[in-house]
Amino acid sequence: MRTTTYSSNAVVTPKVQIGSERVLHTEKLTIGYKNKNIVRTVGHALDLTLRPGQFVCLLGPNGAGKSTLIKTLAGIQLPLEGKVFIAQEDIYTIPKNALARKLSLVLTDVVQTGNLDVYTVLTLGRYPYANWFGTLCEADTKIIIEAARATGIEKYLDKQLDQLSDGERQKVMITRALVQDTPLIILDEPTAHLDLPSRVEVMRLLRTMARQTNKAIILSTHELDLALQAADTIWLMMPNQSLISGAPEDLIINGTFEKAFSKTGFDFCRDTGTFRVNSPVEDKIIQLTGEGYTYFWTKRALEREGYRITDEAEDIVSVQQSIHICQWTLNRSGVVHHFNAVEMLLTFLRTEISAVINNSVQSIIS
Ligand SMILES: Nc1ncnc2c1ncn2[C@@H]1O[C@H](COP(=O)(O)OP(=O)(O)OP(=O)(O)O)[C@@H](O)[C@H]1O
């Protein structure tokens, strides 16, 4: 029997690979800042590749260099060393107008557009294709309407940009990038300032755009949960100037994710892909049985209280979940206590603990 092992370092060259061409790549890219003689390097010798249809989320702790990398990839900040190539061309050799047909950029800052209406803002996305007189043709109008329909902002076309919420405005700027119709879209924190439903919607929209239009999309974000769910690939900027690239699941399984965000008081849980604010306290252990979302949220609550969930614990919390009712029981030394809310269970456990502490203090005093 023939077996083949594929590792992330293996060079795999199948006969046909969709999206095998590179929309963007870098060679030994070193990024950072040079002020007089002081050099501040934030990313060193990065070799990155982005392919058509790939949806990449750039993550990293504060100050790791996400914005610096985004600006360098978009050609608005010079690298300290190395090169950025857009479709095999050095980005700094591409004339501005030609670059605007290859790359669109959405920045975080709230755009100052005076009193422009949404439709006019979207027409700006077509300027790289406008004729000598700067006028748009019927095909441009069609592209604008279709893009607005795809992102669900059709109803705002006549509104002025400053009459929209942050989330709606962000969608307009993403639509403008779509209207610009470039094979590559780069976004710096597109979900900043948005509420949770809008953040989910923007992420979903971008992912769908990558899938349906085969555009390569890279965005920087602090939305770890959403990025882990939505990205094809995570680019993780590490505190040591390196960048690790991989499928979200690989970075979780091999511990890279945990390492990048290791911080006192925060724990990344590989089982759930989430951060825990409080580390479990080793001497508080409890057993938990049950299933479904009630089990999940009960586990979260117990861990927040500082419990470590283990089958070795003598106290057993059981969760019963049915369509109509959720119930919790605590079996402690053969005595069964019943609760109909997580809060009641937690209150009981807290009281029990303080009772134990009070008793031991009493016995020390006496
Ligand atoms: N103009 C500048 N001159 C010198 N250093 C800078 C400049 N701008 C940013 N830096 C430094 O470069 C590093 C990377 O900054 P950058 O803004 O790229 O990080 P980031 O990952 O986007 O951070 P955050 O998550 O907080 O937005 C930081 O240490 C920052 O202090």
Side-chain angles (χ1 to χ4, degrees):
M1 192 174 69
R2 216 180 115 199
T3 61
T4 311
T5 304
Y6 297 99
S7 78
S8 54
N9 296 324
V11 179
V12 183
T13 43
K15 280 187 189 137
V16 180
Q17 188 184 326
I18 297 166
S20 60
E21 74 262 36
R22 295 183 290 188
V23 178
L24 172 145
H25 74 279
T26 67
E27 282 178 8
K28 301 268 169 286
L29 182 68
T30 296
I31 57 169
Y33 302 87
K34 202 186 242 174
N35 293 323
K36 293 179 185 152
N37 291 329
I38 302 165
V39 178
R40 164 97 174 87
T41 304
V42 297
H44 180 69
L46 310 175
D47 291 322
L48 308 169
T49 300
L50 199 61
R51 301 187 189 282
Q54 198 177 6
F55 183 48
V56 175
C57 290
L58 172 63
L59 301 176
N62 283 132
K66 298 177 293 296
S67 295
T68 311
L69 179 59
I70 287 285
K71 283 187 258 171
T72 313
L73 294 180
I76 56 176
Q77 179 169 335
L78 279 169
L80 294 177
E81 274 173 42
K83 288 195 166 150
V84 177
F85 296 89
I86 306 281
Q88 315 303 335
E89 281 182 84
D90 183 336
I91 193 168
Y92 288 102
T93 66
I94 307 173
K96 264 198 175 144
N97 204 41
L99 187 61
R101 293 180 186 211
K102 296 176 190 293
L103 176 157
S104 41
L105 176 65
V106 180
L107 295 171
T108 330
D109 308 334
V110 175
V111 197
Q112 302 300 331
T113 51
N115 55 2
L116 292 185
D117 62 50
V118 171
Y119 184 82
T120 309
V121 170
L122 296 184
T123 60
L124 298 176
R126 294 305 296 167
Y127 81 88
Y129 307 93
N131 61 24
W132 257 82
F133 305 103
T135 51
L136 300 179
C137 63
E138 211 173 292
D140 293 314
T141 313
K142 202 169 158 232
I143 289 170
I144 291 169
I145 303 291
E146 272 175 13
R149 201 170 289 152
T151 57
I153 61 152
E154 237 181 334
K155 51 187 174 291
Y156 310 132
L157 284 176
D158 297 331
K159 281 202 176 183
Q160 289 189 347
L161 210 62
D162 56 11
Q163 292 174 332
L164 301 181
S165 73
D166 285 346
E168 291 160 349
R169 214 169 11 227
Q170 193 60 277
K171 276 206 231 165
V172 172
M173 299 323 290
I174 291 169
T175 313
R176 192 198 49 71
L178 195 55
V179 163
Q180 201 172 325
D181 198 19
T182 54
L184 170 63
I185 301 177
I186 298 179
L187 308 100
D188 191 18
E189 290 196 49
T191 53
H193 319 303
L194 305 186
D195 61 15
L196 183 62
S198 307
R199 295 203 299 262
V200 174
E201 207 182 337
V202 163
M203 275 307 218
R204 193 188 296 135
L205 173 66
L206 290 168
R207 190 191 158 78
T208 310
M209 268 165 64
R211 283 282 173 278
Q212 290 181 349
T213 62
N214 214 29
K215 292 178 189 304
I217 298 182
I218 169 161
L219 62 91
S220 67
T221 181
H222 286 285
E223 295 299 331
L224 305 179
D225 276 5
L226 283 179
L228 290 176
Q229 287 179 57
D232 297 314
T233 305
I234 299 281
W235 286 357
L236 189 54
M237 292 206 75
M238 305 296 280
N240 66 355
Q241 303 178 356
S242 67
L243 185 152
I244 297 179
S245 168
E249 295 73 17
D250 282 331
L251 299 188
I252 292 173
I253 292 165
N254 66 26
T256 309
F257 208 75
E258 217 169 316
K259 204 166 136 200
F261 291 97
S262 61
K263 232 180 182 181
T264 318
F266 287 88
D267 263 352
F268 182 76
C269 175
R270 286 193 214 183
D271 292 346
T272 57
T274 53
F275 282 88
R276 281 190 304 216
V277 178
N278 297 312
S279 306
V281 178
E282 284 303 314
D283 61 348
K284 273 168 78 177
I285 56 172
I286 205 155
Q287 207 178 129
L288 180 64
T289 64
E291 54 191 30
Y293 58 83
T294 312
Y295 173 88
F296 174 83
W297 290 109
T298 308
K299 184 166 181 276
R300 274 269 281 255
L302 290 168
E303 285 174 344
R304 192 177 64 240
E305 284 296 300
Y307 284 94
R308 186 163 60 86
I309 311 294
T310 167
D311 290 348
E312 291 154 20
E314 284 176 9
D315 290 357
I316 305 169
V317 172
S318 305
V319 176
Q320 285 102 40
Q321 178 186 319
S322 70
I323 299 171
H324 304 294
I325 200 159
C326 293
Q327 275 191 330
W328 293 258
T329 55
L330 169 68
N331 188 332
R332 171 169 283 173
S333 314
V335 182
V336 180
H337 308 269
H338 295 269
F339 309 94
N340 56 17
V342 172
E343 187 168 15
M344 289 173 69
L345 169 68
L346 297 184
T347 308
F348 180 86
L349 289 169
R350 283 179 205 138
T351 324
E352 284 284 286
I353 285 170
S354 49
V356 170
I357 293 170
N358 282 343
N359 284 344
S360 50
V361 171
Q362 287 269 321
S363 52
I364 291 168
I365 293 168
S366 57

